[in-house]
Amino acid sequence: MRFADFQNPCPETAIVLGSGLGAVAEMFEVESEMDYAEVPGLSTSTVPGHAGRFILARHRGKPLLIAQGRRHLYEGLTAQEVTAGIRFMHRIGVKRVVLTNAAGAIHPDFAVGGLMLITDHLNLQGTTPLLGGPHFHDMSEVYSALWRKRTLAVALSLELKLHEGVYAGLLGPQYETPAEIRMLRTLGADAVGMSTVPEAIQARALGMEVLGISMLTNMAAGLSKTPLHHSEVVAVGREASEKLGQLLVGAV
Ligand code: HPA
């Protein structure tokens, strides 16, 4: 597929799919695909469970862009590099983006396989894509309150439990220690992950509307007896993809 295909007509909405959540794309009518490597400034992910391609889909007659897989800071990339996909979307005319991710559950009422609508985030990654400017962007409503309200209504109509909470973005690539999870709880975090925050900041700085949804693939370190493993995160993500897909179909 070619670059120009994405602009004719231009999709206004995009979805970024996180770890193990690639199958969500199957819920939409796929029209064409393009590897990240074909887009200048983008490259393919090195992480298992992350494909690296854009899918142009159709949803209720309108074009929809799906990014299957993302790049992470823990791969050794800069915040500018991991947000190249967001700037690409903005360049072709995308106005609203749903950022999904796999996350560890910290809130005591959350369970594995659940979904959390991100109300806000803690940027604990020590960096931002806005280094060097533009400076002093307002971040008081990164995750659109109106879009969240609509998404909660969709969840209700699907009889699907959708938690709300604060996402703590950490650098990784190692999982957290139990002491770090206790610290994050004290700081007000409900879930923890290693992505999403740079993309959300970049999208907001470009004036895009952002929705964030976490798939709770595991209880955070120290909250369950078993050690954490990426394959478990991917497996739970895959199993619960259908639920997330249904929610996204309604939310976009
Ligand atoms: N911690 C950090 N990132 C994650 C986790 C976790 O427990 N689960 C999925 N991504």
Side-chain angles (χ1 to χ4, degrees):
M1 110 167 290
R2 260 172 280 133
F3 218 67
D5 296 345
F6 281 101
Q7 288 163 293
N8 191 25
C10 162
E12 289 204 353
T13 306
I15 301 175
V16 178
L17 297 175
S19 285
L21 305 176
V24 168
E26 289 161 20
M27 309 280 292
F28 297 92
E29 220 178 294
V30 173
E31 293 203 329
S32 46
E33 298 181 1
M34 179 170 81
D35 282 343
Y36 288 167
E38 289 179 52
V39 180
L42 284 187
S43 48
T44 311
S45 177
T46 57
V47 185
H50 285 271
R53 64 178 160 253
F54 284 116
I55 293 173
L56 192 62
R58 196 155 286 278
H59 179 53
R60 297 189 180 138
K62 287 193 184 157
L64 171 75
L65 184 64
I66 301 175
Q68 211 177 26
R70 58 152 62 87
R71 306 305 307 274
H72 298 83
L73 293 168
Y74 63 68
E75 295 174 69
L77 304 173
T78 64
Q80 272 281 320
E81 286 166 330
V82 301
T83 51
I86 299 293
R87 289 188 299 281
F88 165 72
M89 289 172 183
H90 180 253
R91 217 162 47 235
I92 64 170
V94 171
K95 295 186 170 46
R96 317 187 313 149
V97 61
V98 186
L99 302 172
T100 70
N101 60 50
I106 297 179
H107 193 291
D109 294 344
F110 294 177
V112 172
L115 292 173
M116 184 188 89
L117 192 58
I118 303 177
T119 55
D120 205 348
H121 70 225
L122 296 170
N123 181 6
L124 300 172
Q125 298 182 319
T127 188
T128 154
L130 307 187
L131 288 179
H135 296 144
F136 313 127
H137 249 284
D138 175 64
M139 290 285 145
S140 46
E141 192 187 307
V142 177
Y143 304 89
S144 162
L146 183 62
W147 203 357
R148 274 189 275 140
K149 202 171 142 194
R150 289 192 183 137
T151 304
L152 285 167
V154 170
L156 196 66
S157 70
L158 293 170
E159 294 181 16
L160 201 153
K161 176 79 195 153
L162 181 59
H163 299 290
E164 292 179 89
V166 173
Y167 174 88
L170 270 67
L171 185 59
Q174 71 286 349
Y175 287 117
E176 301 72 34
T177 65
E180 285 166 344
I181 294 301
R182 289 193 296 275
M183 172 189 76
L184 293 176
R185 185 74 198 127
T186 306
L187 294 179
D190 299 297
V192 58
M194 305 173 193
S195 67
T196 304
V197 168
E199 292 148 295
I201 293 171
Q202 178 65 86
R204 283 307 294 146
L206 292 169
M208 293 160 83
E209 244 189 295
V210 178
L211 189 74
I213 302 174
S214 291
M215 160 72 63
L216 305 167
T217 51
N218 56 280
M219 293 311 291
L223 301 181
S224 88
K225 290 191 180 72
T226 50
L228 301 181
H229 201 280
H230 181 64
S231 59
E232 175 204 339
V233 167
V234 172
V236 173
R238 284 214 175 103
E239 271 170 43
S241 274
E242 176 143 0
K243 200 159 69 171
L244 176 63
Q246 286 172 345
L247 183 65
L248 288 173
V249 165
V252 299

